[in-house]
């Protein structure tokens, strides 16, 4: 049952396990096994413990912050969003140098190693999800600040960004890629970041940044289609963003019902904007001049220069979003 033999079960040795007897045994047998585990642990304590990989990485935290904040919004768990914001603020404070540039890792109170492209890209995306949860101008300002650093130290002349900074000592070559690996590629992620910044700000410079990255890497599509999934998804976002404008009083029941309808649907190209009554969108925005409907919160689905008629009912909004390709 326990795979004990002269040959062993792992490289000539026996590693005791219960893989073939997972169900609990009778009380006496379980007590004996507990005593055996205590003896094994006592013997193990005489050896050096393995090292712990307890460092904090900026890029992986960016992925987790975005996921936790998005899940908090989708499942109405504001405490998840709060935890994501706490992690984001930690990186901004503890993993940022005096010059505003990020570090890649942090452990035991010390930030080390210059940040990579992926660190900036995934944290920019995290800032956008946090902005959707609570539209603070400081979050967009942080994206602008990090983008300036990328342009200055990571930018390639013909578009896209190198993985490492130009002033990093000891580099023999600098890699530039949009192919996903274990995590989404930084260049591909930034296409989505810049596309959303374009929709939110209306400034063409963000769209141009995204297009430069796409132009730099589009030639690899015929050869490396599957590894460019993030790039393709964000190219579609740039081409066909769906802006959802919710007009209403923050915290009011009618606005929250519309917000929940948005999160009940799958809209990968969604850019959600909540506008308070009386606040003005830019004159160039397709929802400029629109307001509440008979005092009720309203939702407008805007694509390009056109917005739908107002939705004041959560179910009709949900059905409209489900019909979107």
């Amino acid at each position: 049952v326990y795979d004990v033999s002269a040959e062993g079960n792992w490289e000539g040795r026996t590693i005791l396990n219960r893989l073939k007897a997972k169900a609990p045994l009778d009380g006496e047998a379980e007590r004996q096994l507990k005593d055996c585990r205590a003896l094994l642990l006592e013997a193990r304590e005489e050896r050096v413990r393995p090292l712990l990989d307890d460092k904090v990485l900026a890029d992986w935290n960016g992925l987790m912050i975005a996921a936790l904040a998005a899940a908090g919004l989708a499942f109405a768990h504001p405490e998840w969003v709060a935890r994501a914001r706490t992690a984001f603020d930690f990186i901004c404070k503890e993993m940022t140098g005096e010059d505003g540039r990020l570090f890649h890792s942090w452990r035991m109170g010390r930030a080390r190693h210059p940040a990579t492209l992926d660190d900036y890209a995934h944290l920019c995306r995290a800032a956008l999800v946090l902005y959707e949860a609570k539209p603070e101008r400081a979050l967009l300002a942080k994206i602008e600040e990090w983008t300036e650093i990328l342009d200055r130290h990571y930018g390639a002349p013909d578009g896209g960004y190198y993985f490492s900074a130009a002033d990093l000592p000891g580099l023999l070559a600098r890699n530039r890629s949009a192919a996903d690996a274990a995590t989404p590629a930084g260049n591909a992620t930034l296409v989505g970041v810049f596309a959303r910044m374009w929709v939110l700000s209306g400034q063409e410079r963000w769209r141009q940044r995204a297009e430069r990255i796409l132009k730099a890497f589009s030639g690899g599509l015929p050869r490396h289609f599957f590894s460019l999934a993030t790039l393709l998804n964000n190219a579609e976002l740039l081409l066909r963003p769906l802006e959802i404008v919710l007009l209403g009083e923050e915290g009011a029941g009618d606005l929250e019902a519309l917000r929940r309808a948005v999160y009940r649907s799958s809209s990968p190209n969604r850019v959600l904007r909540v506008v308070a009554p009386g606040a003005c969108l830019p004159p160039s925005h397709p929802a400029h001049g629109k307001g509440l409907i008979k005092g009720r919160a309203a939702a407008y689905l805007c694509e390009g220069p056109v917005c739908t008629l107002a939705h004041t009912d959560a179910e009709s909004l949900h059905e409209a979003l489900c019909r979107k390709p």
Side-chain angles (χ1 to χ4, degrees), residues 131-146:
Y131 180 82
E132 182 175 314
K134 187 176 181 181
E136 297 179 8
R137 182 66 184 83
L139 290 166
L140 300 186
K142 181 59 70 175
I143 295 174
E144 293 173 350
E145 176 186 336
W146 284 336

Side-chain angles (χ1 to χ4, degrees), residues 244-247 258 262 291 293 297-301 308-312 317:
I244 305 173
V245 179
L246 301 183
L247 294 171
L258 294 176
V262 171
I293 304 298
Y300 298 89
L301 309 183
T308 64
L309 296 175
H311 293 272
T312 58
L317 174 60

Side-chain angles (χ1 to χ4, degrees), residues 110-128:
R110 182 185 177 191
R112 300 181 62 192
H113 310 301
T116 68
L117 166 65
D118 289 5
D119 296 321
Y120 286 101
H122 296 319
L123 284 169
C124 283
R125 178 171 171 267
L128 280 171

Side-chain angles (χ1 to χ4, degrees), residues 20-229:
K20 295 184 179 179
K22 297 179 182 179
L25 305 176
D26 60 82
E28 179 58 28
E30 288 295 336
R31 281 191 292 272
Q32 290 180 7
L33 288 173
K34 182 179 180 180
D35 293 340
C36 290
R37 288 196 297 271
L39 290 172
L40 287 171
L41 180 60
E42 184 179 348
R44 178 64 182 81
E45 290 294 344
E46 296 178 4
R47 298 169 54 194
V48 176
R49 285 178 172 266
L51 295 176
L52 295 176
D53 187 0
D54 56 354
K55 61 183 176 293
V56 174
L57 298 179
D59 53 347
W60 288 11
N61 267 270
L63 290 167
M64 186 64 208
I65 291 166
L68 189 59
L73 291 171
F75 295 105
H77 278 280
E79 70 276 14
W80 297 357
V81 179
R83 289 184 184 181
R85 183 57 191 263
T86 298
F88 184 84
D89 290 343
F90 173 90
I91 292 173
C92 291
K93 179 181 179 182
E94 301 295 336
M95 298 181 66
T96 303
E98 294 181 358
D99 57 357
R101 294 172 69 175
L102 288 167
F103 289 98
H104 175 62
S105 67
W106 180 95
R107 183 175 182 271
M108 298 181 67
R110 182 185 177 191
R112 300 181 62 192
H113 310 301
T116 68
L117 166 65
D118 289 5
D119 296 321
Y120 286 101
H122 296 319
L123 284 169
C124 283
R125 178 171 171 267
L128 280 171
V129 182
L130 291 171
Y131 180 82
E132 182 175 314
K134 187 176 181 181
E136 297 179 8
R137 182 66 184 83
L139 290 166
L140 300 186
K142 181 59 70 175
I143 295 174
E144 293 173 350
E145 176 186 336
W146 284 336
T147 301
E148 289 178 4
I149 292 173
L150 285 173
D151 289 344
R152 190 180 315 124
H153 298 287
Y154 296 77
D158 55 343
Y161 298 91
Y162 291 106
F163 186 73
S164 53
D167 57 355
L168 194 64
L171 283 179
L172 297 178
R174 298 171 71 202
N175 180 48
R176 183 179 61 148
S177 173
D180 299 330
T183 57
N187 274 298
T189 298
L190 284 175
V191 173
V193 170
F194 295 159
R196 293 180 187 279
M197 289 293 287
W198 168 52
V199 174
L200 289 170
S201 68
Q203 298 175 3
E204 282 295 304
R205 61 190 177 99
W206 294 108
R207 182 184 61 80
Q208 293 167 0
R209 278 195 174 98
E211 289 181 342
R212 277 175 57 81
I213 297 176
L214 290 173
K215 183 178 180 181
F217 296 105
S218 59
L221 282 172
R223 303 187 305 275
H224 309 294
F225 180 85
F226 291 105
S227 65
L228 297 174

